[in-house]
Amino acid sequence: MSAQTVDHVSLLPLYAAAGTAVLVLLADLLVARRGAVFGTLATGGLATVAAAIITGSRAGTFCAPTGDACSWVPSPLAATAAVVFAALTVGVLALSIPALRLGTAPAGEYCFLLAASMTGGVAVGYAGDLITLIVGLETLTLPLYLLVGLRRFAPGEKPMTSAASASVTFFLISVISTAIALLGAALNYAATGALHFDRLINGSGPTAPVAEAGVALLVVGLAFKVAAVPLHAWAPPTYEGSPLPIAAYLSTASKLGGVLALAAIVVRLDAATLTAFLALLTMTVGNLVALRQTRMVRLLAWSSIAQAGYILAPLSLGADGVQAAAVYAVFFVILEFIAFGVIAALRPAGATGGDILYYRGAARRSPWLGAALVLSLAGLAGLPPGLAGLFAKITIVDALIEGGETWLAVVVVLNAVVALAYYVRVAALLYATPTVPGIPVVDPTLLEAATHPRFPVTRPLAAALITAAAAAVVLGFAPQLLFNALS
């Protein structure tokens, strides 16, 4: 048996991400200055982006002696995922700085946990076997339990969901889903003897039922990460009880990790019927419940559940739908982060998302932020001028029709029409006449909004980043460029 060799260049993205976590911890211990901690995390995120681009599509490492199966597999999709995870981490840091300066959470622990979660996301993207995949997912998720619970609310604020309750809800359901996924992986391994993705096969012979049960349990367990039905109920209360930047990270990075994990499984194992059923339930339940929401973060949470259904739909095609799902996932992440970022910029530092009525007339007071939010909502709905979201949805529908799943394409279109109701409602409210002082209001914060000439935009740098990102995703050809890059 030949000795296993390690290509350290291929591991550069992981080294950069993990090194960032260590350096952030040391900066907090030795320098004890928030600026040094923030700078270390931002620099480490940029270094992770550079490392992912440099490694490109090198050969895998931690390979079996035969060389036909590796535990660490660089690819264009893995590099894209690493870049997105690192960019999201830096973006969340930018949104968090004003609140951290007010002492809403300890800066050192906050940034260390963010860097640790980024490390897990990078590992998920490059994973080449089930063990690396699940360890990466847990490394991505575990720091988030603590980040959700670190929240200290703004003075006098009475949130609907406490940080402790949100953290415990997230933790308990995550533990259950992880146990389900591990049981599925164990059953599949017992039936087929395979852990590396390149060796995963559908069961045959007497062990076929065991392998099929393992695949089903694995898919259901991993579906938790994208908040798919039936493991979806954790998302709205967890997002509501989290700091707004962490809610943005949960809605984007955590969901992207789940999409990558599911894609790695469905490409190689037959789970078409189950995945299509999950997609149908997820998009339908998400959109119908979102229609009744009156809190902004909860509306976005249910919207993100529906969006997860759109991502799952092409994954039901197996390998033929992975590229369409990946393209849609990347642009969903961008648009969702813009939406959460604008909300964080419009609210006081450390506050919750508030009632939807709080945003009445927001675009009149903060035109650029209002335009960015409208653009992100239009992209999520698949309407102009959010052309990136429009063409990303078309990519999904086209892939489903070409794959023979016309019925599912029709369901996607019908759900997209239903979603217009709440996306258009919020967008129209942004340009409605602001509330007049003296008229009874539903949310006390409405009076605050009405009596201020402008919304309390305390994140000028974040607002600039949001506007720049919004302008970039207007380019309608961007989804096709990314689709070609991943081909």
Side-chain angles (χ1 to χ4, degrees):
M1 181 181 295
S2 60
Q4 188 180 73
T5 59
V6 179
D7 183 359
H8 292 283
V9 176
S10 294
L11 293 170
L12 277 178
L14 182 64
Y15 290 158
T20 300
V22 174
L23 291 175
V24 165
L25 185 61
L26 291 175
D28 184 47
L29 290 174
L30 302 177
V31 182
R33 295 176 62 90
R34 281 196 296 259
V37 174
F38 297 156
T40 302
L41 179 56
T43 303
L46 296 176
T48 303
V49 170
I53 294 173
I54 290 171
T55 54
S57 299
R58 289 180 64 88
T61 189
F62 292 118
C63 300
T66 55
D68 62 339
C70 301
S71 295
W72 187 265
V73 184
S75 67
L77 180 58
T80 301
V83 170
V84 173
F85 278 118
L88 286 173
T89 301
V90 175
V92 168
L93 173 64
L95 294 176
S96 304
I97 287 176
L100 291 175
R101 285 176 174 166
L102 294 178
T104 57
E109 290 89 334
Y110 189 95
C111 293
F112 169 74
L113 292 170
L114 266 181
S117 184
M118 176 180 68
T119 303
V122 172
V124 169
Y126 286 85
D129 61 55
L130 289 175
I131 294 176
T132 305
L133 178 69
I134 293 176
V135 169
L137 275 174
E138 290 309 298
T139 306
L140 168 65
T141 306
L142 282 171
L144 297 178
Y145 306 150
L146 299 176
L147 286 169
V148 170
L150 279 178
R151 177 174 190 167
R152 298 168 189 160
F153 292 95
E157 189 174 24
K158 296 180 179 179
M160 294 183 64
T161 304
S162 70
S165 174
S167 182
V168 170
T169 299
F170 186 26
F171 172 75
L172 290 177
I173 298 183
S174 180
V175 167
I176 294 171
S177 67
T178 301
I180 293 172
L182 286 172
L183 177 59
L187 290 176
N188 189 264
Y189 176 71
T192 65
L195 283 175
H196 288 90
F197 295 152
D198 291 341
R199 294 179 177 176
L200 287 181
I201 57 173
N202 292 308
S204 60
T207 61
V210 176
E212 291 173 0
V215 173
L217 290 173
L218 191 56
V219 170
V220 170
L222 295 177
F224 159 82
K225 305 300 181 182
V226 298
V229 174
L231 297 175
H232 67 288
W234 64 272
T238 300
Y239 290 9
E240 179 74 24
S242 306
L244 279 173
I246 298 304
Y249 196 77
L250 280 169
S251 185
T252 54
S254 180
K255 197 175 295 291
L256 180 60
V259 171
L260 293 171
L262 283 170
I265 301 301
V266 300
V267 164
R268 298 163 178 91
L269 298 175
D270 183 15
T273 302
L274 176 58
T275 307
F277 182 65
L278 289 176
L280 169 64
L281 286 179
T282 301
M283 70 178 79
T284 303
V285 170
N287 281 321
L288 292 179
V289 180
L291 292 172
R292 304 181 60 226
Q293 299 307 303
T294 59
R295 302 278 293 180
M296 180 62 84
V297 170
R298 285 181 178 266
L299 183 144
L300 287 179
W302 285 105
S303 163
S304 73
I305 291 172
Q307 297 290 337
Y310 301 144
I311 297 171
L312 287 173
L315 289 180
S316 65
L317 301 175
D320 294 334
V322 167
Q323 290 177 337
V327 169
Y328 192 89
V330 169
F331 283 95
F332 158 75
V333 163
I334 295 172
L335 294 167
E336 186 82 352
F337 186 81
I338 293 171
F340 270 101
V342 171
I343 291 170
L346 291 175
R347 296 287 286 168
T352 63
D355 193 280
I356 292 176
L357 292 178
Y358 176 90
Y359 300 87
R360 184 182 183 91
R364 294 171 179 262
R365 299 180 178 88
S366 301
W368 288 104
L369 290 176
L373 183 54
V374 168
L375 181 60
S376 66
L377 294 175
L380 292 171
L383 290 174
L387 298 182
L390 172 63
F391 285 107
K393 272 192 172 60
I394 291 175
T395 300
I396 283 182
V397 172
D398 184 57
L400 289 171
I401 293 175
E402 289 186 0
E405 298 289 343
T406 305
W407 70 272
L408 192 53
V410 172
V411 172
V412 169
V413 173
L414 291 177
N415 271 277
V417 173
V418 172
L420 292 179
Y422 57 85
Y423 285 129
V424 171
R425 173 165 63 101
V426 174
L429 192 66
L430 294 172
Y431 289 92
T433 304
T435 305
V436 178
I439 297 179
V441 293
V442 177
D443 188 338
T445 55
L446 288 171
L447 185 57
E448 171 198 349
T451 55
H452 282 70
R454 291 181 61 84
F455 274 66
V457 182
T458 58
R459 299 165 173 82
L461 176 60
L465 293 173
I466 293 165
T467 306
V473 299
V474 174
L475 300 176
F477 55 81
Q480 188 61 43
L481 290 178
L482 183 59
F483 190 88
N484 293 336
L486 298 179
S487 300

